[in-house]
Amino acid sequence: MSLQPEHEIAALFDPNFDEPEPIIVPPGALPPSWAAALATGLGPAAPREPAWPQALEADIAATFPPAAIEPPAPPIPADTAAPSEKGGKRERRHGGGPNAELTRQAAEAKKRRDRDRKSVRLDLIGVEGNITRTRRQSTAWFVQPPGPWNMRPLGKQRRYIQNEALVVANLAEAGVTGLHRRLVRTPWPVRQWAQAHDAWAEPIPDVPGALSWADYLRGQQHAMLWGNPTQKGRYWGVELPPRSVLAQALDVVGAWLLPVVDTPLLGRPARLVRRWAREAFVGEQKAIADHLGTIERHLAGQGVNARPATPAQMDYLLLRSATLGLPLDADGVIAGGGDWEQSDVAALEDLTNPELTPGDGYTTVRGQIGGRAYTGYAIVLTVGRMAPLPIPERMLPWQVIGDPSGEPLEWSERITLETKRQTLRTLRRLTSKIESQFDHYTVEHDQVPPQELAEQHALAQRVISDIEEDHSGLSVRTEGWYRVLVVGSSPAEAREKVALLQEMYAPRIRLEHEHGQYQLLREFIPGEPLANVAHCRRMTVEALSAGMAAVGDRIGDRTGVVIGQTASIAPRPAVWDLFAAHEKKHKSGLTPVVAVPGSGKSFLAAMIVYQAVRAGAYAVVLDPSGPLKKLAQLPEFRGIAEVQSLTGRTSRPGSLNPYRVIVDPRRDDPDYDPQGPDYADDPDPVAAAHAQYEADVRAAAAERISVAVAVLKMMLTPARLEHEWTETVLQTAANTVGGERHHNLREVLDAIAAIGRNDDNIDLRSCAKSVHQDLSMMADLAEARVLFPEEGTSGEVEDTDRDVHLTVLTTPGLQLPPKGIDPTQWTPQQRMAGPLMHMAAWMANRLIYELPRYVRKILFLDENKYIEETGAGRTLNLRIARDSRKYKVRALVCSQLPDDFLGVDGTDDKSALTYEVIIGDLGGNAHAIEGALKLLNLPLGEGYESLLAGLGGGGEDTLDEDVNTDELDAARRFIVKMADDIELIRSDWTHFVHLAHVFDALDSRATRPVSGGTS
């Protein structure tokens, strides 16, 4: 059954979720990891399921610890059975045991607790739209979407705080006196990701015996769920003016008459009274319509961007608040109709069975989720004393300090707003009290008053002065109670989590573990009163807004490939639509991947390539060192991948022949369509398009001649190149051969030999003979067989028509010229490195750009420093930067230094074209870090340098086995920029067990990690 998007839990707080789910059920069996989960009872209930379960059992089981599933009750031993009343009297008569009195008190407390539990009723009596009502108060609810925070300049972060503070101040000026803000958690939409990814992709055909597309999707979901990912939803409950006495009375009478609504005699008057009560409530809302409009306008402003809660969002708020302590649940949200009658509200009380044992310090919550019984142990902490908070300079917002723990923390805030006038009146009253105490010491008793009185008086006067001189509204003061919920699967686990959270907040903020946990837990439910008035925090709206509870990690989207998980505030999957920049934003596809060797950049890029090819993209990998060729040998790529060795024994003669590598333009390319916009102004579009095609064919022929000459020049020694006739010999021979595609370099050698025999100019003949002798020697090298076809052949390499999705170009054994050594000292093999890398870049260029423009393409250039050393390589990089948007190319260009993209050596600066950037471990190099900040478009001197210096796998690198903390299998960390979003990503592949064969193929070390970390 297809779920409506407005009733889908994943859509509640996702502004990008606006399309219905596709009704697709791909076939396939569970991957091994899910089969293992079935054996432990934690996986899906059926042995075979679609790639995404239609129910959210998997999401629920992953979000709540398995240990929290309620086990069957153990049998009660006979010797512990409760004694009879007669036996109890006899025991007391004989003095009883040492614990008899304690047992009696516990039994009486249990009876009293059960009696109180039965008498508890929610104050909430109904919901109309986004407004909840009790008999005395109505509250309008609005939903604030998650916002960004990480890797933003300090000025922006301060502005985020001030914008939210101004919204609160404007609400106070509009007459709002109270707020109830709730931060809830929902499961990250793993199933929706799988459905969207399936619709986004054009999967390659399944191969028998290999990982199928359906199993791949299930394995990806399973791996994501292991991280317990959640997303935030923040509700703003704005208290409306108190209800009238008449409306309250009608509600009370309606509640009394509820049991007799269906009786024959009293049913009609009861229904009439209840209708009057509802009409009174609707009339009240109409009377304050302007006030509601003002509130909605303020909350929709910059800083909060909140919108009135939808019926599904209201359902989730009530259901989640009533089931705190149990797993995150979507059931009930799907069928939410919006309005709640009093009888509907009564059902909230039966969702859970909370129990409180005096002295335990926690609330035991029992209930059923998805037909399974769960038990949770909930502890509510209250924010206590707070020191001055340096936010954002040196601290996270105070309400997200605990988010890095990975716990799905939920908040309840009860806030009272005071206007400037009320605050001044309170402060002046306080000042008068201080002055009276001062007079009491000095006048009445002739004593020196304590210094604290003078300090308090000065502070109060300073605050009064600030408020009187403030015209921004940020001087509004608030009183509030701030509760945070911690849930464990056992009392010990809950207490451990509390200790961890208190340690994270120390020393600047105290989290108090108060008594009355049952009442504190109920305070999270809309409409319930304050549990107590202890630990009231008084602060300005700016200090209040510095909590920024709604901010989180914002990176990527909900559609593309997985690149890891966020690692700054709260972990969740980092997903990247590789072609959103081209298809939606019209931006360049150049993506620098910068890190030192061993930092995992090649592994991450290879994993991106693997996922993209599985989704139907075409990929070309230029890997000089060769280990990535195993990527093309994976079983799922059988028949659609190939490895082209450009050096070594397996290289194909003539495969890098310049005349074959450079292709003619396609006649059916859209550039030559007479109906295209480029020819709209021509009197004869057909002739103009044909003329353009012919001109491009001639340009391709001229380019072949130019490249052939460049390749031959790279093979010559510097002394030979300095000869005045060398350039003439090479150009004359290449022009004699021509630029058609059926030629090859041996024909150019033959033309040079002919010049040495027949030319009239004796100097030219002499130079041609020497050049031919040198080039013939180079052509006989083993490395040159891909440039020169074998003797007696034309070097014709037929183009294959099969659908190759992945091509890996390797140059194993290539001897690169050593840096700092005079070129005159290079060996012939080292001189061949330049021509080979030059033509390898051209081959990658051809394989990418000869494909149709609308086809999704991935170009992965590993060790770009070798390619940049050739003219063709620089041309390819420049073309990637400028034309990748038009040709839909996602180019992952790996390099060890940001300077390769910044143009610091006078070359073209590509930093303005980098819409996405990936920065890894830079080895702590200050110059590299400065360049990386420029690529990320981050300012210098705001603390980002230390973050970049700390990237990598963690630990200290030492050869001392006793103290070595550098884990080989530690997940690598990267700073990833996508548009304006910049986040810290942890490239962790631990739970992606269905891709173990891919990790084996990408790792050449003796110790094979599962978390992804090879270079």
Side-chain angles (χ1 to χ4, degrees):
M1 182 180 65
S2 176
L3 305 180
Q4 296 299 321
E6 64 270 14
H7 291 157
E8 175 57 56
I9 185 175
L12 296 185
F13 310 106
D14 181 8
N16 300 321
F17 193 92
D18 56 1
E19 297 180 0
E21 300 174 1
I23 308 176
I24 304 174
V25 183
L30 292 176
S33 56
W34 279 53
L38 281 174
T40 62
L42 301 181
R48 292 178 63 87
E49 289 194 351
W52 43 85
Q54 288 300 318
L56 287 178
E57 290 89 355
D59 301 57
I60 295 168
T63 309
F64 200 77
I69 300 177
E70 185 175 4
I76 301 176
D79 56 349
T80 61
S84 64
E85 184 178 353
K86 183 177 179 181
K89 292 180 179 179
R90 183 182 304 114
E91 184 178 36
R92 287 195 298 272
R93 187 165 51 245
H94 291 286
N99 296 326
E101 180 63 21
L102 182 61
T103 303
R104 184 185 64 79
Q105 292 180 5
E108 292 179 356
K110 182 178 183 303
K111 292 179 182 179
R112 186 167 57 253
R113 180 202 63 199
D114 293 340
R115 184 171 59 252
D116 294 342
R117 172 75 180 90
K118 292 179 181 179
S119 65
V120 168
R121 290 293 180 267
L122 293 178
D123 284 1
L124 189 69
I125 61 174
V127 179
E128 296 280 346
N130 69 321
I131 299 177
T132 59
R133 61 187 174 107
T134 65
R135 291 188 178 89
R136 296 174 298 276
Q137 186 71 56
S138 297
T139 305
W141 292 91
F142 301 81
V143 176
Q144 176 185 4
W149 181 264
N150 293 326
M151 307 299 288
R152 296 307 198 271
L154 291 179
K156 272 193 174 182
Q157 292 177 339
R158 292 192 195 98
R159 193 60 191 166
Y160 293 155
I161 295 173
Q162 291 176 357
N163 286 341
E164 184 173 305
L166 287 173
V167 170
V168 179
N170 290 336
L171 290 176
E173 292 299 322
V176 174
T177 59
L179 297 175
H180 182 193
R181 297 196 299 194
R182 281 279 285 113
L183 181 74
V184 302
R185 298 281 186 151
T186 62
W188 196 83
V190 173
R191 177 166 57 90
Q192 285 73 22
W193 168 85
Q195 290 179 313
H197 192 65
D198 183 73
W200 171 79
E202 297 177 1
I204 57 177
D206 289 342
V207 176
L211 183 70
S212 68
W213 174 251
D215 286 350
Y216 166 76
L217 285 181
R218 273 191 293 272
Q220 296 289 91
Q221 294 175 80
H222 183 242
M224 293 184 201
L225 287 171
W226 270 103
N228 297 341
T230 61
Q231 57 184 359
K232 294 180 177 182
R234 195 188 199 192
Y235 290 85
W236 287 60
V238 180
E239 294 182 1
L240 302 178
R243 304 190 62 199
S244 65
V245 176
L246 175 61
Q248 295 183 42
L250 288 173
D251 278 337
V252 172
V253 175
W256 288 344
L257 296 176
L258 182 61
V260 299
V261 166
D262 296 325
T263 60
L265 184 61
L266 299 177
R268 182 179 178 83
R271 289 192 295 270
L272 186 62
V273 171
R274 290 180 60 79
R275 189 181 68 186
W276 288 345
R278 187 179 183 282
E279 289 176 352
F281 172 75
V282 174
E284 288 179 340
Q285 304 312 307
K286 291 181 179 179
I288 60 172
D290 292 341
H291 181 63
L292 277 172
T294 302
I295 292 173
E296 183 174 344
R297 185 171 62 254
H298 287 322
L299 286 174
Q302 187 178 10
V304 175
N305 299 317
R307 295 291 183 268
T310 64
Q313 289 171 337
M314 289 301 302
D315 290 351
Y316 187 76
L317 172 64
L318 296 179
L319 291 169
R320 180 59 194 152
S321 299
T323 57
L324 289 173
L326 298 183
L328 302 180
D329 182 19
D331 294 345
V333 180
I334 298 170
D339 296 343
W340 290 61
E341 299 292 341
Q342 190 167 4
S343 57
D344 300 323
V345 174
L348 292 175
E349 303 170 10
D350 299 325
L351 293 177
T352 60
N353 181 26
E355 301 175 359
L356 179 65
T357 302
D360 282 347
Y362 58 83
T363 304
T364 304
V365 182
R366 291 187 173 89
Q368 286 195 345
I369 300 296
R372 303 175 68 180
Y374 290 85
T375 298
Y377 300 88
I379 297 178
V380 178
L381 300 177
T382 301
V383 174
R385 294 180 62 84
M386 304 170 66
L389 304 178
I391 301 173
E393 287 76 12
R394 297 195 301 275
M395 284 182 62
L396 284 172
W398 58 269
Q399 284 184 287
V400 300
I401 291 175
D403 284 6
S405 67
E407 292 299 316
L409 304 176
E410 300 201 19
W411 286 81
S412 175
E413 308 167 55
R414 298 296 182 95
I415 304 167
T416 301
L417 305 182
E418 296 182 353
T419 63
K420 179 188 294 188
R421 185 180 307 167
Q422 293 171 329
T423 304
L424 287 174
R425 184 166 56 249
T426 302
L427 287 173
R428 289 193 175 106
R429 188 183 306 118
L430 177 63
T431 304
S432 298
K433 291 181 179 179
I434 296 174
E435 292 173 350
S436 298
Q437 292 179 3
F438 193 89
D439 292 342
H440 179 74
Y441 276 96
T442 57
V443 177
E444 299 180 13
H445 296 283
D446 195 21
Q447 294 180 358
V448 177
Q451 180 64 27
E452 288 80 358
L453 279 179
E455 294 175 354
Q456 291 176 4
H457 188 272
L459 178 60
Q461 290 295 328
R462 186 165 60 250
V463 172
I464 291 174
S465 176
D466 293 341
I467 294 175
E468 290 177 338
E469 296 175 2
D470 174 68
H471 301 287
S472 65
L474 297 179
S475 60
V476 173
R477 258 48 178 185
T478 66
E479 292 184 353
W481 293 262
Y482 308 94
R483 327 283 193 193
V484 58
L485 175 67
V486 180
V487 179
S489 57
S490 67
E493 181 182 288
R495 292 189 181 102
E496 289 176 1
K497 292 181 178 180
V498 166
L500 173 63
L501 201 61
Q502 289 175 329
E503 183 179 349
M504 295 177 70
Y505 272 86
R508 294 185 179 273
I509 300 176
R510 285 184 57 88
L511 294 182
E512 304 291 349
H513 189 175
E514 297 183 276
H515 296 293
Q517 285 291 309
Y518 178 77
Q519 289 77 14
L520 289 169
L521 186 64
R522 289 180 61 86
E523 190 181 303
F524 283 70
I525 302 176
E528 292 300 290
L530 270 174
N532 59 57
V533 294
H535 304 293
C536 174
R537 303 268 59 83
R538 297 174 175 84
M539 60 184 81
T540 65
V541 290
E542 195 164 5
L544 168 70
S545 299
M548 300 298 288
V551 302
D553 296 335
R554 190 177 76 177
I555 195 74
D557 46 45
R558 304 268 165 46
T559 304
V561 302
V562 179
I563 61 174
Q565 65 180 13
T566 58
S568 295
I569 294 181
R572 68 171 182 81
V575 178
W576 182 17
D577 184 346
L578 297 169
F579 305 101
H582 314 76
E583 299 170 348
K584 300 176 182 178
K585 302 295 185 179
H586 307 292
K587 300 292 184 179
S588 168
L590 173 64
T591 304
V593 185
V594 182
V596 297
S599 58
K601 62 180 183 297
S602 298
F603 186 95
L604 175 61
M607 288 302 301
I608 294 173
V609 170
Y610 170 81
Q611 296 178 79
V613 173
R614 288 227 60 152
Y618 290 79
V620 175
V621 178
L622 181 51
D623 178 28
S625 55
L628 295 179
K629 67 181 180 181
K630 294 182 180 179
L631 196 64
Q633 299 168 357
L634 294 174
E636 49 265 49
F637 293 159
R638 190 183 309 144
I640 64 166
E642 67 176 7
V643 178
Q644 294 188 21
S645 296
L646 306 182
T647 58
R649 178 179 54 83
T650 59
S651 60
R652 293 185 299 180
S655 60
L656 289 185
N657 175 16
Y659 292 89
R660 295 291 301 170
V661 170
I662 300 174
V663 298
D664 287 322
R666 293 173 177 266
R667 187 64 182 87
D668 58 351
D669 192 284
D671 285 346
Y672 311 116
D673 183 5
Q675 305 298 325
D678 294 339
Y679 308 104
D681 297 333
D682 287 288
D684 189 353
V686 175
H690 181 73
Q692 182 63 44
Y693 171 73
E694 294 295 334
D696 289 346
V697 169
R698 292 192 298 270
E703 196 166 33
R704 292 189 190 98
I705 294 174
S706 174
V707 171
V709 171
V711 167
L712 294 176
K713 287 172 65 176
M714 292 179 190
M715 299 181 190
L716 299 174
T717 62
R720 185 64 61 196
L721 288 173
E722 292 174 359
H723 196 280
E724 60 178 330
W725 294 105
T726 299
E727 182 77 22
T728 303
V729 168
L730 295 176
Q731 288 287 353
T732 302
N735 288 326
T736 301
V737 172
E740 289 75 15
R741 197 164 180 238
H742 61 274
H743 296 302
N744 62 75
L745 286 179
R746 286 205 179 271
E747 296 180 35
V748 180
L749 290 185
D750 294 340
I752 294 174
I755 293 174
R757 292 190 305 268
N758 305 324
D759 198 89
D760 296 336
N761 188 326
I762 186 172
D763 293 330
L764 193 61
R765 286 203 311 271
S766 175
C767 180
K769 290 178 181 179
S770 300
V771 169
H772 182 268
Q773 182 179 359
D774 292 348
L775 292 178
S776 297
M777 182 269 295
M778 296 292 292
D780 292 336
L781 295 175
E783 291 82 0
R785 66 198 305 261
V786 292
L787 296 174
F788 296 89
E790 297 178 352
E791 293 286 354
T793 65
S794 63
E796 191 79 7
V797 180
E798 294 298 331
D799 295 327
T800 59
D801 294 331
R802 63 192 181 92
D803 192 17
V804 178
H805 275 257
L806 174 62
T807 303
V808 181
L809 306 176
T810 66
T811 57
L814 186 66
Q815 298 185 32
L816 295 171
K819 289 188 176 182
I821 302 299
D822 194 308
T824 59
Q825 305 297 321
W826 291 355
T827 65
Q829 288 78 11
Q830 291 172 345
R831 280 206 305 276
M832 280 301 301
L836 289 176
M837 292 304 299
H838 187 86
M839 292 313 303
W842 270 110
M843 174 65 80
N845 192 353
R846 167 203 161 181
L847 292 173
I848 284 294
Y849 288 100
E850 72 175 353
L851 292 168
R853 287 193 176 190
Y854 60 85
V855 172
R856 292 172 173 175
K857 313 171 191 71
I858 298 285
L859 177 61
F860 174 23
L861 301 180
D862 201 9
E863 302 299 344
N864 188 52
K865 63 178 181 180
Y866 300 141
I867 301 172
E868 277 280 349
E869 292 176 357
T870 69
R874 287 189 291 272
T875 301
L876 175 62
N877 276 293
L878 186 59
R879 185 172 187 182
I880 290 170
R882 296 174 182 263
D883 296 341
S884 57
R885 176 186 65 84
K886 301 176 184 177
Y887 288 87
K888 203 179 288 188
V889 180
R890 169 58 59 194
L892 304 171
V893 184
C894 292
S895 185
Q896 297 180 13
L897 291 173
D899 292 353
D900 295 340
F901 306 96
L902 295 173
V904 295
D905 57 352
T907 58
D908 188 58
D909 185 357
K910 310 177 190 70
S911 59
L913 302 174
T914 53
Y915 194 62
E916 290 99 346
V917 179
I918 301 175
I919 303 294
D921 184 11
L922 299 175
N925 183 276
H927 176 73
I929 290 174
E930 182 178 347
L933 290 176
K934 292 180 181 178
L935 276 180
L936 295 169
N937 196 26
L938 290 174
L940 300 174
E942 291 199 3
Y944 303 120
E945 292 84 354
S946 60
L947 179 60
L948 288 171
L951 292 176
E956 296 184 5
D957 189 7
T958 175
L959 297 180
D960 188 342
E961 296 181 359
D962 295 332
V963 297
N964 183 28
T965 59
D966 182 37
E967 298 289 343
L968 286 178
D969 60 347
R972 302 302 194 240
R973 299 189 302 162
F974 298 89
I975 298 294
V976 178
K977 173 181 180 291
M978 296 181 188
D980 290 335
D981 293 329
I982 307 175
E983 294 289 353
L984 178 64
I985 299 298
R986 188 170 180 264
S987 182
D988 187 0
W989 305 93
T990 302
H991 301 298
F992 291 76
V993 293
H994 61 296
L995 301 181
H997 63 295
V998 183
F999 304 149
D1000 289 338
L1002 296 178
D1003 185 18
S1004 59
R1005 298 181 301 183
T1007 303
R1008 301 185 182 276
V1010 295
S1011 57
T1014 65
S1015 175

